[in-house]
Amino acid sequence: MKKGSIAASLFWLSAGWLVVALVATGFLLTELYSRALDTSLTETLEFHVESLTGALLETGDPRANSITLNDPRFDRPRSGWYWAIRDDKGGLDNLSTSLVGIGLPDLPAASNPSGVRTAVMDDVFGTQIRVVERAVTVGDNTYEIAVSGSLTEILQLVGDFRGQAFIVLGAVGAMLAIMSAIVARFALRPIGRLRAAIESVREGDSETVSGTYPTEIAPLADEVNELLRSNAQIIERARNQVGNLAHGLKTPIAVLRNEATNDKTGLAEIVLSESDKMSTMVATYLERARLAARTSIVGKKSDATMIMLRLTRVMRKIHPNCTIAFQRPDASLPWFRGDEADLEEMAGNLLENACKWSKGQVGVRLLSERGDNGAVLLLRIDDNGPGLSEEDAKKVLRRGVRLDEKTPGSGLGLDIVKELVDVYGGSLELRRSALGGLLVELRLPTARLGGMTKGQA
């Protein structure tokens, strides 16, 4: 369970609630057990009071040796188990062996309607005791019969019970926490399957989100599929509209060119020159619209290593006086998540510029780099040409900017590269190269290693 995940949140919320609930349960059980033992002690003491009362009524003499209790705890000194019979003046008429040499303290509590009163007190040894006392009338005399039992023993039992209860509840809590983690993990498995299905679409292994999901997240899978379908329709419609517009402009431009060709006036030369520019612009932007539509299709991937090998071979033929050193990466390099033609368009324009401006030396490297959202594909192209200043490097990345109008070319190649980089969510940086010229760093999203998908050559 990763930090910040739903499973981790559910686990920690469940674990926190379990701790609170089990601790409260432990204290509640301990309190109930303590009360039950105290109630049992009180009932036992009342029974002993009744036994002494019966013996007193039977003999009529509070000093009779036959008045006794068979519980051996009343014979053990400092046990906390005492009994005594006193007259109405407080004189001691009879007592247990355990009470010899000491006395029972007077009870501060008032008697109930049955003439019985009880209280918790300490004896002279510091033992906590519960005392139950009852007034009994024999003939013309009234006697008070008091019996006490040790509460310290009960508190020790309660302490032992509390320790054992928390051990048991701790074990129960651990099992419930494990069960909570298992339940959270299994309950959230459909979300993991949905994530894998969406990733499969993104990686090009599937065209739609497939699988069976619970009713809570099944609508999400349906909405993703509907979004994919709607996106494809919008892209296709936009591409058709741009194509129709471009083809619609070709005919008027061709008419202007034909009319201007047959006319030798100055106005005709201007019309011919501007119509050539319009034709170039229409063709260029039609191609850019086609590229933008193609890059928006989900699920394509291509082998960057093979593309760069092919491009370097072509550039070596076009620029025989330029040495292009391509350091081939190992087989673990991830693929480019996008169309093969788009990577050729971007890398080809950048490599062409490097060869055009270099003094005969160009270096090319493909790397895998760790980014904020995972691995990214890094293409580094550097040359030993004049390079660019920091200000010019920022300026040339603006749309439609050319630093040298005299150099052959429309200047739209770098614009197309920047547009494709934006479409793929990548980045393009220009800086000083170690060779002395310009270093271009192109970062693009990666896909899992694998075979070619539909539509790839």
Side-chain angles (χ1 to χ4, degrees), residues 10-78:
L10 288 176
F11 172 77
W12 288 115
L13 285 174
S14 300
W17 173 248
L18 278 174
V19 170
V20 173
L22 292 177
V23 169
T25 301
F27 282 109
L28 179 61
L29 289 176
T30 302
E31 180 64 21
L32 291 176
Y33 182 65
S34 176
R35 291 186 181 184
L37 289 180
D38 189 34
T39 300
S40 177
L41 176 62
T42 302
E43 291 176 352
T44 300
L45 295 178
E46 289 177 350
F47 174 77
H48 288 321
V49 168
E50 293 295 332
S51 298
L52 292 173
T53 300
L56 177 59
L57 293 175
E58 183 178 351
T59 61
D61 182 8
R63 299 177 181 273
N65 293 330
S66 60
I67 300 177
T68 185
L69 293 174
N70 293 326
D71 193 330
R73 289 177 292 184
F74 291 103
D75 297 328
R76 190 170 68 248
R78 306 179 64 171

Side-chain angles (χ1 to χ4, degrees), residues 11 49 83 89 122 133 139 143 200 205 207 296-297 299 302 421:
F11 172 77
V49 168
W83 63 265
K89 296 180 181 180
D122 292 335
E133 187 178 85
Y143 301 97
S200 179
D205 299 330
E207 295 182 355
S296 299
I297 300 175
S302 51
V421 169

